[in-house]
Amino acid sequence: MKAVVIQKPNTPVVIEERPIPQPKAGEVLIKVRACGVCHSDLGVIEGGIPFATFPRVLGHEVAGVVDKVGEGVTWPKVGDRVGMQWLFSACGHCDQCVRGAEILCPFAQITGVMQDGGYQEYMIAPALYVAPIPDELSFADAGPLMCAGLTVFNGMRQAGYKPGQKVAVIGLGGLGHLAVLYAKAMGARVAVISNSPDKQDEAQELGAEYFVNTGAQKAGDALRAWDGGADIILATAPSSEAANDAVPGLAPDGTLVVLGVGSGNISAMHFDLIGARRRVLGSPSGGRSDVRATLTFSAHNKVVPRITKYPLEDAGKALSLLQSGKLRDRAVLMIA
Ligand SMILES: [Zn+2]
Ligand SMILES: [Zn+2]
């Protein structure tokens, strides 16, 4: 089978021929049909993820079909459509796992970072960690929902979103465009904050009622002019300045949710936080219950990503387009 491998940080990905792996007890073999290309994949390549191990097959937005099951596996069955996400496995016994917050497990294994992911024709996954993909979702659409979709959907839930609240989304990339779609589908009023004024049309098409061009306006002032500010700001772009500038635009009791990983510090003036009791919250992707909720919500509310498909062999090309900021849609690697 073909696998797209990164040998060590800051080297190009290469295509390798590898034997198809065999599932051991408790594992399944997934025939990968689609795998989204995520910004965190660039993090692995650029050496920015300290717990990444090499050589590694990237990819944590996996959608495919169970091809074989290992000894003792009673679920899923061969032929089931399943996805794999960032969380490859968790320990099951630490305090975080026991209270149902397995994404915070200190012993978690991460797909495509510490274990081989979906940039290959077949991958191994722990049987209990795959997510069933609803029939309504194609493999290509389900892929990006496993990380980009999960991260923004769950970020809103973690922030305590209530129907009718105002949600501002910083950035309109892979996570941002899905954030707008989820927020709209959940009944929010939505704003988009971007430094590219040419994103305004797209923001409106997706359902945003308000657009803040940070090249011409201060995000905090512009958001406060939006009926008193945003209840939730989802910072999906990897820019700490953009997140910091938006904090004063939170409504009282509002929450800034930091989702996109960038350089620099998230910071806020003491009084901007204290006076209106604002919060800053970091949120990683989510656990198994969160990913199931994301997929079910997406299937029933028709929230699907905007994607461009590439053959697996073009993984390197898709990654460099993402790196240069030239990708408009989520790139999805397709395997027949
Ligand atoms: Zn990701
Ligand atoms: Zn644990």
Side-chain angles (χ1 to χ4, degrees), residues 90-94 97 105-107:
C91 79
H93 58 73
C94 73
C97 282
C105 173
F107 310 107

Side-chain angles (χ1 to χ4, degrees), residues 169-174 176-177 180 192-194 199 202-203 206 236 328:
V169 178
I170 304 178
L172 211 48
H177 85 285
V180 174
V192 167
I193 302 170
S194 173
K199 293 268 187 176
E202 190 187 347
L206 293 167
T236 72
R328 223 182 141 69

Side-chain angles (χ1 to χ4, degrees), residues 89-98 101-108 129:
S89 65
C91 79
H93 58 73
C94 73
D95 289 346
Q96 314 313 325
C97 282
V98 170
E102 60 188 11
I103 190 61
L104 305 179
C105 173
F107 310 107
Y129 282 81

Side-chain angles (χ1 to χ4, degrees), residues 120-271:
Q120 55 183 343
E121 291 180 276
Y122 292 87
M123 78 169 272
I124 293 288
L128 294 180
Y129 282 81
V130 301
I133 297 177
D135 291 342
E136 294 88 345
L137 296 172
S138 69
F139 293 115
D141 285 344
L145 299 180
M146 300 301 297
C147 176
L150 166 63
T151 301
V152 293
F153 179 85
N154 197 38
M156 276 184 70
R157 302 203 311 173
Q158 295 298 327
Y161 167 76
K162 293 181 189 71
Q165 285 189 322
K166 278 172 287 169
V167 175
V169 178
I170 304 178
L172 211 48
L175 271 67
H177 85 285
L178 280 168
V180 174
L181 294 174
Y182 280 122
K184 280 300 290 178
M186 292 184 202
R189 296 175 59 191
V190 182
V192 167
I193 302 170
S194 173
N195 59 6
S196 21
D198 56 328
K199 293 268 187 176
Q200 183 160 7
D201 289 347
E202 190 187 347
Q204 273 161 359
E205 267 171 48
L206 293 167
E209 67 174 46
Y210 192 63
F211 184 82
V212 178
N213 168 15
T214 53
Q217 297 160 281
K218 287 179 100 165
D221 294 343
L223 281 181
R224 273 204 308 276
W226 185 40
D227 289 349
D231 298 297
I232 294 173
I233 298 174
L234 299 171
T236 72
S239 159
S240 26
E241 289 95 28
N244 298 343
D245 289 348
V247 170
L250 281 169
D253 275 328
T255 304
L256 169 75
V257 190
V258 182
L259 300 169
V261 180
S263 54
N265 295 327
I266 299 291
S267 61
M269 301 284 287
H270 293 80
F271 198 75

